[in-house]
Amino acid sequence: MNIIKEVKRARKGNKASFEMLIREYKTTMYRVSKTILKQEEDCADAIQEAILKAFHSIKTLKEPKYFKTWLLRIVMNECYTIIRKQKKVIQLDQVPESSSLEEGYSKIETKELLYSLSEEDASVLKLFYIKDLPIKEIAEVMDIPENTLKTKLRRAKKRAQLQVKEEGLQWKSGNNS
Amino acid sequence: MEKWEQQLDQEVNGNLPKVVEQQIEETLNTLPNKKASRKKWMYSVAAAVVATGIVVSSSSVSTTIADSLQSVPVIGSVMEKVGGLGEKNGQQKGLTVTAGEEVDIGDQTIIFTETLYDGNSIYISYLNTSTDLNKQVLSGVPTVMIDGEPLRNYGIGAGGQKLKEGVYGETMSIRTSEELPDEFLLTLGGETNGSQWQVDLPVEKKGAETVIPLNESFSNEDNHLRYSTLSFTSTSTRVQFQLITPEDSKLIQNGQHFDIQVEDGNGRVLRGIGASSRSALLHDGTVQGQYTFDLEPYGEDLPESITIKPYLMKIPLENEDVEPVVFTTKKWKGEPITLSQGEMGNLTVQSVERIEGDVTITYSVDGEDEAMQSSTFWIEDSENNMYKENRVERRVEGNTFKQTFYDFPAEEDIYLHSTEMDSHHYISNFEVTIDIQ
């Protein structure tokens, strides 16, 4: 698929092109949303809102080559909106997510590690490991220079490594459920 | 990568859960069809590839039921009724192969009616007995196999229209650069909600193919264009060329639409029916693009010459002030009536024939680009519901065209629509005339 061409068509109101673009990036949309939200249903809601907003505002996208990062930024904004709404009900930040043995020990340890890091470090790390989302695009999504992102990433990795050492987290060889 | 990194890598790259995927599809299905309100609307009509995202809800393995074709209340060839100019021409020449394969998908049935292969593209027509075209059309990106072997490089386009209540006619085209046998079994397959579907369709290469190597190069400032081939088949007239430009060339910038107008020695401007391109940024900073344009096919007799006239069309950027589109609308009152198309020319509706919900309109165009002018036409009812599902108008003769719109309310007045358009900006240095005979 020629992304640029499809974006141009979508901007002109071509619904089929817009649908193709969404299908092209749906997995990345989900993975990005999952770095912020915990529940699948919340991810689905955030993506739904993002699709609707993107569809109605695609005309404001000036450069077709930025469609992907523009879309992902909308997804992230929708995720934060959902978090804000949820915080009105309960301060989730204050409540560590309960772990379930069914998830396997390693997953719990990853969650513990991420929870022990600052929100920014955890977010940068999660985005960095998403496939098909290169550093350049993460920087665009986060709206920061690429070099700044690289610095943040180095620091986040270092802190994570320190946490692993200091907390003595033992990494199992896979999912033990 | 350390252990924790491996684990994180696994966790953030999870597959798309069904609940999310379903909600995405449902959301896409609720998106309204936009009615463009700006001048940019008209640019999509020139040589756009017809492509529709398609979703299948569930499926089962197909069985051959030739009788079911008779139970569907549609008379005639689906390929002929809803196909593009190429498919229509191929069908009229008797080049199609009857398929007669049926796939039950949830509460609907897909009946594959015909296949057509001319050496350039494979076309498949089918009937879809769903109640909602957007929700139930078959396609998306099905897997394709040729005689049981997977086809690796291919592109799919699809389109169709409502024929009668609960019956949609659709065609799908598959383009590939891979060599195909003259006769083969085409297998389409997919997976929906965890269940597999598959259908086998017989395909046979039919019709004559004439390929003319061109190898003619032209330059315009730092832009270089090399025409590679001109080919004629029963379903299309195909022009292929390579365009090499600096990265900042005006020809490929946002806000410009690069296109071609093809005219034969008799002054007939060919209607574009499909286009594709791919480009790569080279190390020296130039952009190399490969372009393929498919235009309406010729019959038995090829023209004496073909003139290819590349042009640029300014597409206003989002932050630019844009003049609103000037729509020209007139109510059909039983007499020939002319709609202005601005600098481009005029469109005159000659006659309107109504048979139940089918509205067939004969019209002629007069002006600079009859292909673009003839395609910039649609009808609406009194409540501004737009009828433009029909994919391509049929050329009756010369500059006269015929288009049928289906399922138009029987009691409604017909409002004829077009828009005013600016002239093209031709790149005369790239223009070439090719003698055919």
Side-chain angles (χ1 to χ4, degrees):
Chain A
M1 178 168 60
N2 184 327
I3 299 292
I4 302 287
K5 209 162 191 172
E6 296 304 332
V7 173
K8 287 179 179 175
R9 287 186 186 142
R11 282 199 316 195
K12 291 177 207 158
N14 187 319
K15 186 180 153 192
S17 291
F18 182 81
E19 288 176 346
M20 277 193 278
L21 288 164
I22 294 298
R23 292 193 178 101
E24 177 75 16
Y25 294 127
K26 62 184 179 185
T27 302
T28 312
M29 291 167 79
Y30 163 70
R31 287 173 180 170
V32 166
S33 69
K34 200 70 173 72
T35 66
I36 301 168
L37 301 168
K38 296 177 177 65
Q39 304 297 330
E40 311 287 26
E41 290 77 9
D42 290 339
C43 292
D45 289 345
I47 292 170
Q48 175 174 323
E49 283 304 311
I51 290 171
L52 294 173
K53 285 198 172 157
F55 182 72
H56 290 296
S57 61
I58 191 166
K59 281 186 173 181
T60 64
L61 176 66
K62 290 174 186 166
E63 286 292 333
K65 65 182 175 185
Y66 292 130
F67 175 81
K68 181 183 176 185
T69 51
W70 172 79
L71 179 68
L72 294 178
R73 202 185 297 184
I74 297 174
V75 171
M76 288 179 78
N77 287 340
E78 290 308 314
C79 291
Y80 291 127
T81 302
I82 287 177
I83 284 186
R84 277 197 297 275
K85 284 179 186 167
Q86 289 175 340
K87 276 183 179 173
K88 285 180 183 171
V89 182
I90 182 170
Q91 293 291 319
L92 282 179
D93 269 357
Q94 308 303 317
V95 185
E97 192 186 21
S98 60
S99 302
S100 157
L101 281 177
E102 289 173 5
E103 292 180 292
Y105 295 118
S106 330
K107 279 192 177 178
I108 297 167
E109 288 151 356
T110 315
K111 280 179 185 170
E112 283 176 9
L113 171 63
L114 293 172
Y115 189 73
S116 70
L117 297 174
S118 72
E119 203 169 303
E120 186 185 41
D121 283 351
S123 176
V124 166
L125 282 176
K126 284 189 276 191
L127 288 172
F128 173 69
Y129 286 102
I130 292 180
K131 289 190 172 61
D132 61 57
L133 194 58
I135 283 185
K136 185 175 179 295
E137 291 182 355
I138 299 173
E140 285 168 16
V141 170
M142 296 180 77
D143 203 16
I144 57 174
E146 199 174 327
N147 282 337
T148 308
L149 173 66
K150 284 178 181 169
T151 306
K152 284 178 187 289
L153 193 57
R154 266 199 303 274
R155 287 180 188 154
K157 270 190 176 183
K158 198 146 212 163
R159 288 186 192 116
Q161 284 164 342
L162 281 173
Q163 283 294 332
V164 172
K165 279 181 189 167
E166 286 174 7
E167 298 297 321
L169 291 170
Q170 296 299 309
W171 296 88
K172 308 290 189 294
S173 56
N175 190 319
N176 296 328
S177 60
Chain B
M1 204 185 267
E2 293 183 25
K3 199 76 195 169
W4 65 269
E5 290 179 285
Q6 290 174 18
Q7 188 60 44
L8 188 53
D9 185 283
Q10 269 185 24
E11 283 188 24
V12 298
N13 288 299
N15 291 329
L16 190 64
K18 273 185 186 169
V19 62
V20 180
E21 182 151 31
Q22 277 172 4
Q23 199 157 329
I24 289 174
E25 291 303 337
E26 283 166 16
T27 307
L28 292 176
N29 289 333
T30 63
L31 297 177
N33 283 312
K34 285 186 180 177
K35 184 175 171 181
S37 59
R38 292 185 144 197
K39 209 161 192 170
K40 294 165 199 170
W41 177 84
M42 70 184 75
Y43 302 106
S44 63
V45 300
V49 178
V50 179
T52 309
I54 294 167
V55 187
V56 180
S57 61
S58 66
S59 65
S60 61
V61 177
S62 68
T63 50
T64 304
I65 311 175
D67 288 348
S68 34
L69 290 172
Q70 296 168 7
S71 67
V72 177
V74 174
I75 299 166
S77 159
V78 177
M79 192 83 80
E80 204 275 336
K81 259 185 180 301
V82 304
L85 285 173
E87 293 106 297
K88 279 182 168 57
N89 193 54
Q91 197 279 334
Q92 284 161 4
K93 288 184 185 306
L95 305 182
T96 54
V97 174
T98 302
E101 293 285 330
E102 182 174 302
V103 182
D104 290 326
I105 300 173
D107 59 352
Q108 61 152 345
T109 304
I110 302 282
I111 301 167
F112 292 88
T113 57
E114 299 148 287
T115 63
L116 169 63
Y117 174 50
D118 65 346
N120 270 350
S121 305
I122 304 165
Y123 297 96
I124 301 138
S125 62
Y126 49 98
L127 287 168
N128 177 6
T129 57
S130 72
T131 53
D132 186 330
L133 180 65
N134 291 327
K135 282 185 180 171
Q136 303 289 0
V137 191
L138 170 73
S139 174
V141 185
T143 55
V144 180
M145 289 196 286
I146 306 291
D147 285 335
E149 294 295 321
L151 190 64
R152 303 198 188 284
N153 302 309
Y154 61 91
I156 289 184
Q161 65 186 93
K162 188 174 178 180
L163 293 173
K164 297 195 180 292
E165 195 56 45
V167 181
Y168 292 87
E170 290 149 38
T171 63
M172 180 195 298
S173 65
I174 301 173
R175 296 170 183 216
T176 179
S177 54
E178 292 184 27
E179 283 278 317
L180 299 179
D182 287 349
E183 200 170 335
F184 55 89
L185 197 65
L186 172 75
T187 303
L188 299 178
E191 181 181 331
T192 308
N193 296 334
S195 62
Q196 305 279 336
W197 63 270
Q198 185 173 304
V199 64
D200 296 325
L201 306 168
V203 180
E204 193 179 335
K205 184 178 175 181
K206 290 185 177 182
E209 183 181 15
T210 305
V211 181
I212 301 171
L214 299 179
N215 201 21
E216 295 209 47
S217 299
F218 299 89
S219 293
N220 180 38
E221 297 172 351
D222 291 333
N223 306 299
H224 308 285
L225 187 148
R226 188 178 70 80
Y227 291 102
S228 46
T229 57
L230 169 67
S231 58
F232 300 94
T233 70
S234 57
T235 62
S236 76
T237 301
R238 177 172 282 190
V239 176
Q240 290 181 297
F241 60 84
Q242 186 183 63
L243 179 66
I244 298 177
T245 63
E247 199 178 358
D248 58 354
S249 169
K250 189 181 173 189
L251 270 54
I252 56 170
Q253 290 310 300
N254 190 21
Q256 298 288 346
H257 173 68
F258 183 78
D259 211 326
I260 61 170
Q261 183 177 322
V262 177
E263 189 175 337
D264 67 17
N266 297 321
R268 169 176 162 183
V269 180
L270 302 191
R271 168 82 155 88
I273 56 176
S276 61
S277 69
R278 56 193 163 89
S279 59
L281 178 62
L282 305 182
H283 291 300
D284 61 2
T286 56
V287 176
Q288 182 176 300
Q290 305 284 348
Y291 292 79
T292 299
F293 284 84
D294 283 320
L295 303 113
E296 64 180 291
Y298 278 91
E300 299 298 325
D301 300 322
L302 298 183
E304 290 184 359
S305 67
I306 286 280
T307 298
I308 304 167
K309 299 160 77 173
Y311 64 86
L312 265 189
M313 196 185 270
K314 177 95 174 87
I315 302 177
L317 296 170
E318 296 302 335
N319 54 359
E320 288 180 341
D321 287 334
V322 182
E323 291 173 35
V325 172
V326 179
F327 290 101
T328 45
T329 305
K330 289 186 177 172
K331 183 177 170 180
W332 174 248
K333 293 177 179 171
E335 297 290 331
I337 194 165
T338 298
L339 304 174
S340 168
Q341 296 184 313
E343 290 176 8
M344 198 64 83
N346 293 308
L347 183 149
T348 301
V349 174
Q350 310 288 0
S351 65
V352 174
E353 186 185 1
R354 297 180 74 157
I355 301 175
E356 295 179 352
D358 298 355
V359 177
T360 300
I361 299 185
T362 304
Y363 58 95
S364 59
V365 293
D366 174 26
E368 179 181 315
D369 186 341
E370 62 190 49
M372 179 168 282
Q373 291 173 253
S374 63
S375 61
T376 310
F377 175 68
W378 70 98
I379 62 173
E380 294 185 5
D381 58 27
S382 59
E383 293 176 352
N384 296 116
N385 293 311
M386 195 174 182
Y387 292 77
K388 201 180 167 50
E389 286 180 309
N390 201 359
R391 295 166 62 192
V392 264
E393 65 287 344
R394 200 177 326 184
R395 190 189 287 271
V396 180
E397 62 173 356
N399 62 346
T400 303
F401 299 84
K402 192 176 263 194
Q403 190 162 357
T404 300
F405 303 90
Y406 298 103
D407 204 36
F408 192 90
E411 304 301 320
E412 282 278 351
D413 285 329
I414 296 169
Y415 291 85
L416 311 162
H417 286 259
S418 187
T419 67
E420 295 193 353
M421 293 174 272
D422 296 335
S423 290
H424 295 328
H425 297 287
Y426 294 100
I427 307 168
S428 55
N429 287 2
F430 285 164
E431 185 174 320
V432 65
T433 297
I434 300 137
D435 291 326
I436 310 294
Q437 295 164 338

